[in-house]
């Protein structure tokens, strides 16, 4: 069976470089699912959950914007502003970031640009927290190496 050749990179690191059966990505126009033979496409990524499937296993990654390019040879390149596997998300740090963003947004003297930056930070943090909590039951096996997508 034909596989997708997927590479997900951020400015800091390569998060994923592997073969997959399918890949679902949050885009600014909605969630898309990519299967082998997909038409070429370039789309903006939205903040949300990327779902990588291979041989019946599902692997979940938070992405915070960027671009996805689907090439005609089943090659997918994702350039994300930020990305992390669900088990890398520290819920306490995320909750602190949510609190800071809300406090910043509550300031009366905030400029429009500052408010927009705080709102974007809040959106990213809420998305990260949702993904971490949604998959919390799988965290132990992921950290110990059981069920983790091999790169």
């Amino acid at each position: 069976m034909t596989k997708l050749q997927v590479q997900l990179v951020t400015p800091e690191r390569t998060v994923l470089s592997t073969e997959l059966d399918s890949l679902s990505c949050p885009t600014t126009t909605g969630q898309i699912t990519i299967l082998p033979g997909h038409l070429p496409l370039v789309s903006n990524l939205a903040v949300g959950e990327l779902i990588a499937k291979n041989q019946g296993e599902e692997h979940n990654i938070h992405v915070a914007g960027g671009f996805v390019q689907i090439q005609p040879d089943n090659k997918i390149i994702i350039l994300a502003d930020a990305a992390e596997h669900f088990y890398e998300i520290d819920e306490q740090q995320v909750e602190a970031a949510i609190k800071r963003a809300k406090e910043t947004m509550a300031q009366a003297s905030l400029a429009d640009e500052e408010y927009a930056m705080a709102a974007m930070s809040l959106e990213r943090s809420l998305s990260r927290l949702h993904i971490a909590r949604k998959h919390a039951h799988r965290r132990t096996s992921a950290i110990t190496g059981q069920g983790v997508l091999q790169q």
Side-chain angles (χ1 to χ4, degrees):
M1 179 178 182
T2 305
K3 297 276 192 172
L4 300 170
Q5 302 295 319
V6 179
Q7 187 165 33
L8 167 59
V9 296
T10 69
E12 292 82 28
R13 66 184 178 135
T14 297
V15 177
L16 187 67
S17 183
T18 192
E19 291 185 343
L20 297 173
D21 294 327
S22 70
L23 180 71
S24 295
C25 302
T27 71
T28 54
T29 57
Q31 186 84 2
I32 63 169
T33 298
I34 305 160
L35 300 170
H38 197 288
L39 291 175
L41 174 75
V42 174
S43 185
N44 291 322
L45 283 177
V47 172
E49 184 175 21
L50 185 140
I51 303 167
K53 292 184 179 179
N54 194 42
Q55 298 178 347
E57 290 189 29
E58 184 176 294
H59 307 279
N60 311 88
I61 300 170
H62 176 266
V63 291
F67 298 94
V68 58
Q69 179 186 31
I70 304 167
Q71 298 177 352
D73 56 354
N74 293 314
K75 191 175 202 179
I76 301 171
I77 299 172
I78 301 168
L79 304 174
D81 297 335
E84 60 194 323
H85 296 271
F86 78 90
Y87 54 83
E88 296 174 317
I89 299 171
D90 182 329
E91 287 186 44
Q92 290 179 331
Q93 286 181 347
V94 174
E95 288 170 350
I98 290 170
K99 182 179 177 185
R100 284 191 306 272
K102 286 180 177 179
E103 288 171 353
T104 300
M105 292 171 69
Q107 295 176 11
S109 62
L110 209 57
D112 290 345
E113 184 176 315
E114 293 170 317
Y115 186 88
M117 294 293 288
M120 184 173 62
S121 175
L122 180 60
E123 178 188 14
R124 286 181 178 183
S125 295
L126 288 171
S127 176
R128 291 176 68 216
L129 186 60
H130 171 75
I131 291 167
R133 288 183 175 167
K134 178 179 172 184
H135 302 290
H137 66 283
R138 296 173 42 209
R139 183 176 297 269
T140 303
S141 64
I143 291 172
T144 61
Q146 299 170 357
V148 175
L149 181 65
Q150 297 299 313
Q151 297 185 17

